[in-house]
Amino acid sequence: MSISLFINFPTDDDGVLENIDGHVFEDVFLLSDSIRRLPQSRVFFDASNVELFLSKTLDIATYLQKKSVQLGLKLNKMSAKDISKEFLHSDEIIYAKWNSNLFSVEYAPNILKEITERRILYPDEKCLFINFGRSINSCRERFLIFKDSKAHPELPNTFVHVDFVNDFSEFELWLAGNVVSGFNLLDTNRFYRTSHHIQGKPVFFEPKEKRYWYLDNLHKNEYEVFNSNKEHIGVSNLEGQINFDKAVPGRTFER
């Protein structure tokens, strides 16, 4: 299966300040190591976005200078392609990002333009937007993009739905749900992300069944499941099938 990953970095002041500890850098480094196991994956970025992110980051935290150099090396190691040099989207067409919460439309940045074209031209290809630091605001946990042009009367045709994650932990969940199976903790119709973390991984709550889930940090091929009292009730495979026989008595979030 072919997977195209599009990465984007925060460039507004709030987003950059939140990265003062370098967590976005760390997520990119983890991503670089992870995609080695995905031989058919490709990575895309926008050089102007990277340059602005680095310039603002270094302005507020000079100790991150070494990490900024490493970021460039990681992009090279991933054979990442700069969409400002080679792209599919057209400058003659408007790509608009719809926000149904505000009933508003705004111009889509280049990275979302490129994903939109790939989603249209290569429907069998998996595309994922990695929105580091929530660099671009989404609408109800999704991006809806449409094309429009006076020169093309058939446009706009339909919305293009862009899948996205905000950090490396969510990337692992997306990978498990979309490449390995159809079950996914990122399904907002079934789960929501809590403030809890176990083994550095976010915990998700399933309101209907009143259960907590998180991706096992060691094996990456199973989920740990807890009841509403945060007591361990079993282990699930990546398809969401729980084996209650593997429950560990006395185990809770804290143990």
Side-chain angles (χ1 to χ4, degrees):
M1 178 186 294
S2 177
I3 303 175
S4 292
L5 306 173
F6 296 79
I7 58 179
N8 203 70
F9 299 90
T11 55
D12 65 290
D13 292 340
D14 290 339
V16 172
L17 284 171
E18 288 179 4
N19 186 53
I20 192 68
D21 61 354
H23 67 271
V24 170
F25 287 105
E26 300 303 332
D27 275 357
V28 176
F29 301 157
L30 289 170
L31 176 68
S32 175
D33 293 337
S34 180
I35 64 173
R36 294 178 188 176
R37 304 191 297 271
L38 302 171
Q40 295 184 5
S41 65
R42 290 172 294 182
V43 180
F44 299 87
F45 70 99
D46 184 348
S48 60
N49 167 256
V50 175
E51 290 169 4
L52 184 55
F53 166 70
L54 291 178
S55 66
K56 287 198 171 188
T57 301
L58 296 178
D59 283 344
I60 61 174
T62 55
Y63 76 92
L64 292 177
Q65 185 170 3
K66 182 178 180 180
K67 291 194 175 191
S68 70
V69 173
Q70 293 175 336
L71 175 60
L73 294 175
K74 287 293 184 182
L75 290 174
N76 288 332
K77 197 168 186 178
M78 290 187 285
S79 299
K81 294 184 178 181
D82 177 11
I83 64 168
S84 65
K85 294 181 179 179
E86 183 179 342
F87 52 87
L88 298 174
H89 64 269
S90 171
D91 291 333
E92 297 177 355
I93 292 178
I94 294 173
Y95 297 79
K97 182 164 72 76
W98 169 248
N99 188 320
S100 60
N101 290 332
L102 302 176
F103 295 102
S104 65
V105 176
E106 59 187 64
Y107 289 114
N110 287 338
I111 198 78
L112 288 179
K113 294 179 184 178
E114 194 65 11
I115 301 175
T116 298
E117 285 299 335
R118 294 202 73 89
R119 292 279 288 109
I120 294 172
L121 293 174
Y122 309 111
D124 295 330
E125 178 182 87
K126 285 284 187 180
C127 288
L128 179 67
F129 176 42
I130 305 181
N131 190 31
F132 285 124
R134 298 183 182 272
S135 52
I136 302 176
N137 292 328
S138 64
C139 168
R140 295 189 299 179
E141 296 303 316
R142 66 183 61 191
F143 285 103
L144 295 174
I145 314 296
F146 64 88
K147 297 167 58 176
D148 200 1
S149 172
K150 291 181 179 179
H152 297 272
E154 76 278 7
L155 297 176
N157 187 3
T158 186
F159 283 110
V160 173
H161 180 192
V162 176
D163 286 343
F164 78 101
V165 297
N166 294 305
D167 54 36
F168 179 72
S169 291
E170 289 186 0
F171 169 72
E172 288 185 303
L173 292 172
W174 181 89
L175 201 62
N178 287 273
V179 177
V180 179
S181 73
F183 176 82
N184 200 330
L185 294 186
L186 297 178
D187 179 0
T188 55
N189 293 317
R190 182 172 176 182
F191 301 96
Y192 71 82
R193 184 170 179 166
T194 72
S195 59
H196 298 290
H197 284 77
I198 302 178
Q199 301 176 354
K201 299 301 178 186
V203 178
F204 290 78
F205 186 63
E206 183 183 12
K208 183 177 180 180
E209 302 295 338
K210 297 182 179 179
R211 295 188 294 219
Y212 292 91
W213 299 66
Y214 74 90
L215 182 66
D216 185 276
N217 195 35
L218 178 62
H219 303 104
K220 311 288 189 187
N221 62 355
E222 62 185 23
Y223 301 100
E224 300 290 348
V225 188
F226 299 76
N227 63 20
S228 60
N229 294 321
K230 302 180 182 179
E231 300 166 332
H232 192 250
I233 60 172
V235 174
S236 166
N237 59 20
L238 293 181
E239 285 72 37
Q241 300 165 334
I242 302 174
N243 185 342
F244 294 97
D245 292 335
K246 289 190 175 182
V248 179
R251 182 179 179 184
T252 66
F253 276 14
E254 292 74 28
R255 298 182 184 178

